[in-house]
mmCIF file of all heavy atoms in Angstrom:
data_model
loop_
_atom_site.group_PDB
_atom_site.id
_atom_site.type_symbol
_atom_site.label_atom_id
_atom_site.label_comp_id
_atom_site.label_asym_id
_atom_site.label_seq_id
_atom_site.Cartn_x
_atom_site.Cartn_y
_atom_site.Cartn_z
ATOM 1 N N ALA A 190 -158.468 -67.440 11.553
ATOM 2 C CA ALA A 190 -158.402 -68.776 12.162
ATOM 3 C C ALA A 190 -159.310 -68.827 13.375
ATOM 4 O O ALA A 190 -159.431 -67.846 14.113
ATOM 5 C CB ALA A 190 -156.963 -69.091 12.554
ATOM 6 N N PRO A 191 -159.967 -69.973 13.616
ATOM 7 C CA PRO A 191 -160.836 -70.089 14.789
ATOM 8 C C PRO A 191 -160.043 -69.840 16.069
ATOM 9 O O PRO A 191 -158.888 -70.228 16.211
ATOM 10 C CB PRO A 191 -161.330 -71.537 14.713
ATOM 11 C CG PRO A 191 -161.174 -71.926 13.292
ATOM 12 C CD PRO A 191 -159.980 -71.183 12.796
ATOM 13 N N PHE A 192 -160.686 -69.207 17.041
ATOM 14 C CA PHE A 192 -160.045 -68.931 18.323
ATOM 15 C C PHE A 192 -159.845 -70.233 19.077
ATOM 16 O O PHE A 192 -160.739 -71.064 19.157
ATOM 17 C CB PHE A 192 -160.943 -67.975 19.131
ATOM 18 C CG PHE A 192 -160.289 -67.441 20.371
ATOM 19 C CD1 PHE A 192 -159.602 -66.235 20.321
ATOM 20 C CD2 PHE A 192 -160.324 -68.121 21.563
ATOM 21 C CE1 PHE A 192 -158.975 -65.716 21.459
ATOM 22 C CE2 PHE A 192 -159.696 -67.620 22.700
ATOM 23 C CZ PHE A 192 -159.031 -66.430 22.653
ATOM 24 N N GLN A 193 -158.660 -70.404 19.612
ATOM 25 C CA GLN A 193 -158.342 -71.617 20.367
ATOM 26 C C GLN A 193 -158.606 -71.358 21.854
ATOM 27 O O GLN A 193 -157.835 -70.645 22.513
ATOM 28 C CB GLN A 193 -156.882 -72.028 20.143
ATOM 29 C CG GLN A 193 -156.579 -72.408 18.692
ATOM 30 C CD GLN A 193 -157.414 -73.575 18.221
ATOM 31 O OE1 GLN A 193 -157.492 -74.605 18.889
ATOM 32 N NE2 GLN A 193 -158.014 -73.441 17.048
ATOM 33 N N HIS A 194 -159.678 -71.919 22.366
ATOM 34 C CA HIS A 194 -160.079 -71.640 23.740
ATOM 35 C C HIS A 194 -159.288 -72.496 24.727
ATOM 36 O O HIS A 194 -159.119 -73.713 24.523
ATOM 37 C CB HIS A 194 -161.568 -71.913 23.929
ATOM 38 C CG HIS A 194 -162.448 -70.868 23.285
ATOM 39 N ND1 HIS A 194 -162.759 -69.695 23.920
ATOM 40 C CD2 HIS A 194 -163.050 -70.837 22.079
ATOM 41 C CE1 HIS A 194 -163.538 -68.980 23.118
ATOM 42 N NE2 HIS A 194 -163.728 -69.635 22.007
ATOM 43 N N GLU A 195 -158.833 -71.866 25.797
ATOM 44 C CA GLU A 195 -158.203 -72.595 26.863
ATOM 45 C C GLU A 195 -159.244 -73.434 27.592
ATOM 46 O O GLU A 195 -160.343 -72.959 27.869
ATOM 47 C CB GLU A 195 -157.568 -71.594 27.838
ATOM 48 C CG GLU A 195 -156.874 -72.251 29.025
ATOM 49 C CD GLU A 195 -156.305 -71.212 29.990
ATOM 50 O OE1 GLU A 195 -156.309 -70.016 29.624
ATOM 51 O OE2 GLU A 195 -155.874 -71.602 31.085
ATOM 52 N N HIS A 196 -158.909 -74.694 27.875
ATOM 53 C CA HIS A 196 -159.856 -75.565 28.574
ATOM 54 C C HIS A 196 -160.002 -75.089 30.023
ATOM 55 O O HIS A 196 -159.058 -74.630 30.652
ATOM 56 C CB HIS A 196 -159.376 -77.011 28.527
ATOM 57 C CG HIS A 196 -159.523 -77.628 27.186
ATOM 58 N ND1 HIS A 196 -159.726 -78.972 26.999
ATOM 59 C CD2 HIS A 196 -159.528 -77.086 25.928
ATOM 60 C CE1 HIS A 196 -159.831 -79.250 25.699
ATOM 61 N NE2 HIS A 196 -159.707 -78.100 25.044
ATOM 62 N N ASN A 197 -161.235 -75.221 30.541
ATOM 63 C CA ASN A 197 -161.544 -74.678 31.856
ATOM 64 C C ASN A 197 -162.699 -75.440 32.446
ATOM 65 O O ASN A 197 -163.588 -75.889 31.727
ATOM 66 C CB ASN A 197 -161.884 -73.196 31.696
ATOM 67 C CG ASN A 197 -161.998 -72.470 33.008
ATOM 68 O OD1 ASN A 197 -162.906 -72.706 33.790
ATOM 69 N ND2 ASN A 197 -161.055 -71.565 33.268
ATOM 70 N N TRP A 198 -162.751 -75.567 33.779
ATOM 71 C CA TRP A 198 -163.792 -76.368 34.424
ATOM 72 C C TRP A 198 -165.183 -75.817 34.164
ATOM 73 O O TRP A 198 -166.128 -76.587 33.981
ATOM 74 C CB TRP A 198 -163.530 -76.476 35.924
ATOM 75 C CG TRP A 198 -163.596 -75.187 36.716
ATOM 76 C CD1 TRP A 198 -162.556 -74.386 37.042
ATOM 77 C CD2 TRP A 198 -164.744 -74.593 37.304
ATOM 78 N NE1 TRP A 198 -162.981 -73.303 37.794
ATOM 79 C CE2 TRP A 198 -164.330 -73.404 37.967
ATOM 80 C CE3 TRP A 198 -166.120 -74.921 37.325
ATOM 81 C CZ2 TRP A 198 -165.207 -72.554 38.640
ATOM 82 C CZ3 TRP A 198 -167.010 -74.084 38.008
ATOM 83 C CH2 TRP A 198 -166.552 -72.920 38.662
ATOM 84 N N TRP A 199 -165.357 -74.511 34.129
ATOM 85 C CA TRP A 199 -166.672 -73.963 33.928
ATOM 86 C C TRP A 199 -167.098 -73.947 32.462
ATOM 87 O O TRP A 199 -168.285 -73.802 32.162
ATOM 88 C CB TRP A 199 -166.825 -72.588 34.554
ATOM 89 C CG TRP A 199 -165.800 -71.554 34.149
ATOM 90 C CD1 TRP A 199 -164.684 -71.203 34.862
ATOM 91 C CD2 TRP A 199 -165.808 -70.753 32.976
ATOM 92 N NE1 TRP A 199 -164.001 -70.214 34.173
ATOM 93 C CE2 TRP A 199 -164.685 -69.897 33.025
ATOM 94 C CE3 TRP A 199 -166.675 -70.627 31.898
ATOM 95 C CZ2 TRP A 199 -164.372 -68.980 32.030
ATOM 96 C CZ3 TRP A 199 -166.386 -69.702 30.888
ATOM 97 C CH2 TRP A 199 -165.245 -68.901 30.974
ATOM 98 N N LYS A 200 -166.160 -74.124 31.562
ATOM 99 C CA LYS A 200 -166.513 -74.250 30.154
ATOM 100 C C LYS A 200 -167.002 -75.665 29.863
ATOM 101 O O LYS A 200 -167.986 -75.844 29.118
ATOM 102 C CB LYS A 200 -165.310 -73.926 29.264
ATOM 103 C CG LYS A 200 -164.889 -72.465 29.306
ATOM 104 C CD LYS A 200 -163.653 -72.215 28.451
ATOM 105 C CE LYS A 200 -163.207 -70.764 28.498
ATOM 106 N NZ LYS A 200 -161.988 -70.513 27.726
ATOM 107 N N GLU A 201 -166.356 -76.642 30.458
ATOM 108 C CA GLU A 201 -166.706 -78.043 30.197
ATOM 109 C C GLU A 201 -167.842 -78.535 31.085
ATOM 110 O O GLU A 201 -168.474 -79.522 30.788
ATOM 111 C CB GLU A 201 -165.469 -78.914 30.418
ATOM 112 C CG GLU A 201 -164.300 -78.548 29.517
ATOM 113 C CD GLU A 201 -163.033 -79.282 29.904
ATOM 114 O OE1 GLU A 201 -163.113 -80.233 30.720
ATOM 115 O OE2 GLU A 201 -161.959 -78.912 29.367
ATOM 116 N N GLY A 202 -168.055 -77.847 32.187
ATOM 117 C CA GLY A 202 -169.049 -78.314 33.145
ATOM 118 C C GLY A 202 -170.472 -78.170 32.659
ATOM 119 O O GLY A 202 -170.826 -77.215 31.965
ATOM 120 N N VAL A 203 -171.296 -79.143 33.020
ATOM 121 C CA VAL A 203 -172.734 -79.084 32.775
ATOM 122 C C VAL A 203 -173.402 -78.523 34.027
ATOM 123 O O VAL A 203 -173.227 -79.064 35.131
ATOM 124 C CB VAL A 203 -173.309 -80.473 32.428
ATOM 125 C CG1 VAL A 203 -174.832 -80.390 32.243
ATOM 126 C CG2 VAL A 203 -172.643 -81.029 31.184
ATOM 127 N N VAL A 204 -174.179 -77.451 33.864
ATOM 128 C CA VAL A 204 -174.808 -76.763 34.994
ATOM 129 C C VAL A 204 -176.264 -77.222 35.104
ATOM 130 O O VAL A 204 -176.976 -77.296 34.098
ATOM 131 C CB VAL A 204 -174.750 -75.232 34.782
ATOM 132 C CG1 VAL A 204 -175.323 -74.520 36.018
ATOM 133 C CG2 VAL A 204 -173.344 -74.760 34.500
ATOM 134 N N TYR A 205 -176.698 -77.455 36.321
ATOM 135 C CA TYR A 205 -178.086 -77.832 36.588
ATOM 136 C C TYR A 205 -178.679 -76.769 37.505
ATOM 137 O O TYR A 205 -178.213 -76.548 38.627
ATOM 138 C CB TYR A 205 -178.153 -79.201 37.252
ATOM 139 C CG TYR A 205 -179.546 -79.789 37.428
ATOM 140 C CD1 TYR A 205 -180.054 -80.674 36.492
ATOM 141 C CD2 TYR A 205 -180.322 -79.469 38.537
ATOM 142 C CE1 TYR A 205 -181.319 -81.252 36.652
ATOM 143 C CE2 TYR A 205 -181.590 -80.039 38.715
ATOM 144 C CZ TYR A 205 -182.088 -80.903 37.763
ATOM 145 O OH TYR A 205 -183.335 -81.472 37.935
ATOM 146 N N GLN A 206 -179.722 -76.099 37.020
ATOM 147 C CA GLN A 206 -180.369 -75.061 37.820
ATOM 148 C C GLN A 206 -181.469 -75.642 38.687
ATOM 149 O O GLN A 206 -182.361 -76.345 38.213
ATOM 150 C CB GLN A 206 -180.989 -73.967 36.928
ATOM 151 C CG GLN A 206 -181.603 -72.846 37.770
ATOM 152 C CD GLN A 206 -182.424 -71.861 36.977
ATOM 153 O OE1 GLN A 206 -182.510 -71.937 35.735
ATOM 154 N NE2 GLN A 206 -183.048 -70.906 37.648
ATOM 155 N N ILE A 207 -181.421 -75.271 39.965
ATOM 156 C CA ILE A 207 -182.433 -75.681 40.936
ATOM 157 C C ILE A 207 -183.231 -74.460 41.371
ATOM 158 O O ILE A 207 -182.645 -73.441 41.774
ATOM 159 C CB ILE A 207 -181.797 -76.351 42.165
ATOM 160 C CG1 ILE A 207 -181.211 -77.722 41.772
ATOM 161 C CG2 ILE A 207 -182.805 -76.512 43.312
ATOM 162 C CD1 ILE A 207 -180.441 -78.384 42.890
ATOM 163 N N TYR A 208 -184.546 -74.546 41.310
ATOM 164 C CA TYR A 208 -185.447 -73.532 41.841
ATOM 165 C C TYR A 208 -185.904 -74.061 43.193
ATOM 166 O O TYR A 208 -186.786 -74.916 43.267
ATOM 167 C CB TYR A 208 -186.618 -73.354 40.884
ATOM 168 C CG TYR A 208 -187.414 -72.087 41.074
ATOM 169 C CD1 TYR A 208 -186.855 -70.846 40.772
ATOM 170 C CD2 TYR A 208 -188.722 -72.132 41.520
ATOM 171 C CE1 TYR A 208 -187.592 -69.678 40.917
ATOM 172 C CE2 TYR A 208 -189.460 -70.975 41.672
ATOM 173 C CZ TYR A 208 -188.895 -69.756 41.381
ATOM 174 O OH TYR A 208 -189.619 -68.592 41.521
ATOM 175 N N PRO A 209 -185.280 -73.623 44.291
ATOM 176 C CA PRO A 209 -185.437 -74.306 45.597
ATOM 177 C C PRO A 209 -186.877 -74.531 46.031
ATOM 178 O O PRO A 209 -187.217 -75.590 46.580
ATOM 179 C CB PRO A 209 -184.706 -73.381 46.567
ATOM 180 C CG PRO A 209 -183.783 -72.579 45.723
ATOM 181 C CD PRO A 209 -184.433 -72.445 44.405
ATOM 182 N N LYS A 210 -187.732 -73.566 45.794
ATOM 183 C CA LYS A 210 -189.103 -73.632 46.272
ATOM 184 C C LYS A 210 -189.855 -74.802 45.653
ATOM 185 O O LYS A 210 -190.831 -75.304 46.233
ATOM 186 C CB LYS A 210 -189.809 -72.313 45.968
ATOM 187 C CG LYS A 210 -191.056 -72.046 46.799
ATOM 188 C CD LYS A 210 -191.566 -70.627 46.571
ATOM 189 C CE LYS A 210 -192.762 -70.315 47.471
ATOM 190 N NZ LYS A 210 -193.270 -68.929 47.246
ATOM 191 N N SER A 211 -189.402 -75.265 44.501
ATOM 192 C CA SER A 211 -190.142 -76.281 43.750
ATOM 193 C C SER A 211 -189.366 -77.556 43.496
ATOM 194 O O SER A 211 -189.798 -78.401 42.729
ATOM 195 C CB SER A 211 -190.574 -75.706 42.392
ATOM 196 O OG SER A 211 -191.404 -74.571 42.569
ATOM 197 N N PHE A 212 -188.194 -77.717 44.129
ATOM 198 C CA PHE A 212 -187.364 -78.880 43.794
ATOM 199 C C PHE A 212 -187.698 -80.091 44.670
ATOM 200 O O PHE A 212 -188.127 -81.128 44.160
ATOM 201 C CB PHE A 212 -185.884 -78.502 43.950
ATOM 202 C CG PHE A 212 -184.946 -79.561 43.433
ATOM 203 C CD1 PHE A 212 -184.937 -79.910 42.089
ATOM 204 C CD2 PHE A 212 -184.043 -80.189 44.276
ATOM 205 C CE1 PHE A 212 -184.068 -80.886 41.592
ATOM 206 C CE2 PHE A 212 -183.167 -81.147 43.805
ATOM 207 C CZ PHE A 212 -183.188 -81.501 42.476
ATOM 208 N N LYS A 213 -187.525 -80.002 45.978
ATOM 209 C CA LYS A 213 -187.834 -81.118 46.855
ATOM 210 C C LYS A 213 -188.100 -80.619 48.272
ATOM 211 O O LYS A 213 -187.264 -79.953 48.882
ATOM 212 C CB LYS A 213 -186.674 -82.142 46.857
ATOM 213 C CG LYS A 213 -186.845 -83.288 47.840
ATOM 214 C CD LYS A 213 -188.077 -84.130 47.526
ATOM 215 C CE LYS A 213 -188.199 -85.291 48.510
ATOM 216 N NZ LYS A 213 -189.459 -86.056 48.316
ATOM 217 N N ASP A 214 -189.288 -80.949 48.788
ATOM 218 C CA ASP A 214 -189.696 -80.576 50.144
ATOM 219 C C ASP A 214 -189.318 -81.699 51.089
ATOM 220 O O ASP A 214 -189.758 -82.840 50.912
ATOM 221 C CB ASP A 214 -191.197 -80.295 50.144
ATOM 222 C CG ASP A 214 -191.775 -80.143 51.553
ATOM 223 O OD1 ASP A 214 -191.003 -79.800 52.457
ATOM 224 O OD2 ASP A 214 -192.984 -80.381 51.718
ATOM 225 N N SER A 215 -188.510 -81.395 52.114
ATOM 226 C CA SER A 215 -188.068 -82.430 53.034
ATOM 227 C C SER A 215 -188.886 -82.502 54.330
ATOM 228 O O SER A 215 -188.772 -83.474 55.064
ATOM 229 C CB SER A 215 -186.592 -82.184 53.398
ATOM 230 O OG SER A 215 -186.470 -81.056 54.237
ATOM 231 N N ASN A 216 -189.699 -81.471 54.606
ATOM 232 C CA ASN A 216 -190.335 -81.431 55.926
ATOM 233 C C ASN A 216 -191.862 -81.328 55.869
ATOM 234 O O ASN A 216 -192.498 -81.084 56.887
ATOM 235 C CB ASN A 216 -189.775 -80.286 56.764
ATOM 236 C CG ASN A 216 -189.976 -78.907 56.104
ATOM 237 O OD1 ASN A 216 -190.638 -78.816 55.067
ATOM 238 N ND2 ASN A 216 -189.405 -77.892 56.695
ATOM 239 N N GLY A 217 -192.445 -81.511 54.690
ATOM 240 C CA GLY A 217 -193.898 -81.592 54.589
ATOM 241 C C GLY A 217 -194.665 -80.297 54.678
ATOM 242 O O GLY A 217 -195.870 -80.316 54.964
ATOM 243 N N ASP A 218 -194.025 -79.156 54.413
ATOM 244 C CA ASP A 218 -194.759 -77.895 54.456
ATOM 245 C C ASP A 218 -195.175 -77.416 53.074
ATOM 246 O O ASP A 218 -195.728 -76.315 52.927
ATOM 247 C CB ASP A 218 -193.952 -76.813 55.176
ATOM 248 C CG ASP A 218 -192.650 -76.477 54.447
ATOM 249 O OD1 ASP A 218 -192.356 -77.094 53.432
ATOM 250 O OD2 ASP A 218 -191.935 -75.557 54.935
ATOM 251 N N GLY A 219 -194.928 -78.230 52.031
ATOM 252 C CA GLY A 219 -195.334 -77.861 50.676
ATOM 253 C C GLY A 219 -194.383 -76.940 49.951
ATOM 254 O O GLY A 219 -194.671 -76.474 48.845
ATOM 255 N N VAL A 220 -193.235 -76.648 50.587
ATOM 256 C CA VAL A 220 -192.234 -75.756 50.030
ATOM 257 C C VAL A 220 -190.888 -76.492 49.960
ATOM 258 O O VAL A 220 -190.453 -77.080 50.960
ATOM 259 C CB VAL A 220 -192.078 -74.468 50.879
ATOM 260 C CG1 VAL A 220 -190.948 -73.594 50.339
ATOM 261 C CG2 VAL A 220 -193.381 -73.685 50.920
ATOM 262 N N GLY A 221 -190.260 -76.474 48.806
ATOM 263 C CA GLY A 221 -188.943 -77.077 48.692
ATOM 264 C C GLY A 221 -187.952 -76.403 49.610
ATOM 265 O O GLY A 221 -188.154 -75.257 50.020
ATOM 266 N N ASP A 222 -186.854 -77.074 49.909
ATOM 267 C CA ASP A 222 -185.907 -76.539 50.895
ATOM 268 C C ASP A 222 -184.503 -77.053 50.633
ATOM 269 O O ASP A 222 -184.275 -77.911 49.774
ATOM 270 C CB ASP A 222 -186.356 -76.859 52.315
ATOM 271 C CG ASP A 222 -186.769 -78.308 52.492
ATOM 272 O OD1 ASP A 222 -186.020 -79.193 52.035
ATOM 273 O OD2 ASP A 222 -187.838 -78.564 53.085
ATOM 274 N N ILE A 223 -183.543 -76.517 51.395
ATOM 275 C CA ILE A 223 -182.139 -76.894 51.202
ATOM 276 C C ILE A 223 -181.879 -78.357 51.574
ATOM 277 O O ILE A 223 -181.175 -79.062 50.827
ATOM 278 C CB ILE A 223 -181.235 -75.922 51.987
ATOM 279 C CG1 ILE A 223 -181.364 -74.508 51.391
ATOM 280 C CG2 ILE A 223 -179.782 -76.388 51.912
ATOM 281 C CD1 ILE A 223 -180.615 -73.456 52.178
ATOM 282 N N PRO A 224 -182.398 -78.875 52.691
ATOM 283 C CA PRO A 224 -182.214 -80.309 52.945
ATOM 284 C C PRO A 224 -182.769 -81.177 51.804
ATOM 285 O O PRO A 224 -182.207 -82.234 51.503
ATOM 286 C CB PRO A 224 -182.969 -80.529 54.252
ATOM 287 C CG PRO A 224 -182.875 -79.220 54.961
ATOM 288 C CD PRO A 224 -183.029 -78.205 53.864
ATOM 289 N N GLY A 225 -183.850 -80.722 51.181
ATOM 290 C CA GLY A 225 -184.381 -81.456 50.029
ATOM 291 C C GLY A 225 -183.402 -81.482 48.877
ATOM 292 O O GLY A 225 -183.252 -82.491 48.187
#
Protein backbone atom coordinates (compact mmCIF):
# COMPACT_ATOMS: atom_id res chain seq x y z
CA ALA A 1 0.00 0.00 0.00
CA PRO A 2 1.24 3.54 -0.71
CA PHE A 3 2.88 5.23 2.27
CA GLN A 4 0.56 7.73 3.93
CA HIS A 5 2.64 10.84 4.56
CA GLU A 6 1.93 13.07 7.51
CA HIS A 7 1.18 16.62 6.34
CA ASN A 8 3.89 19.11 7.23
CA TRP A 9 4.73 22.76 6.50
CA TRP A 10 8.00 21.97 4.75
CA LYS A 11 6.42 19.27 2.61
CA GLU A 12 3.67 21.56 1.34
CA GLY A 13 5.76 24.70 1.19
CA VAL A 14 7.12 26.11 -2.06
CA VAL A 15 10.77 27.12 -1.64
CA TYR A 16 12.34 30.03 -3.52
CA GLN A 17 16.12 30.11 -3.71
CA ILE A 18 17.86 33.48 -3.66
CA TYR A 19 21.47 33.94 -4.76
CA PRO A 20 22.14 37.17 -2.83
CA LYS A 21 24.93 38.52 -5.01
CA SER A 22 22.65 38.51 -8.05
CA PHE A 23 19.15 39.12 -6.70
CA LYS A 24 18.74 42.85 -5.97
CA ASP A 25 21.30 45.60 -5.31
CA SER A 26 19.95 48.28 -2.97
CA ASN A 27 22.95 50.61 -2.72
CA GLY A 28 24.36 50.91 -6.24
CA ASP A 29 27.61 48.97 -5.85
CA GLY A 30 26.68 46.33 -8.45
CA VAL A 31 26.33 43.58 -5.84
CA GLY A 32 23.03 42.25 -4.53
CA ASP A 33 22.50 42.55 -0.79
CA ILE A 34 20.23 41.72 2.14
CA PRO A 35 18.26 45.01 2.06
CA GLY A 36 17.62 44.24 -1.62
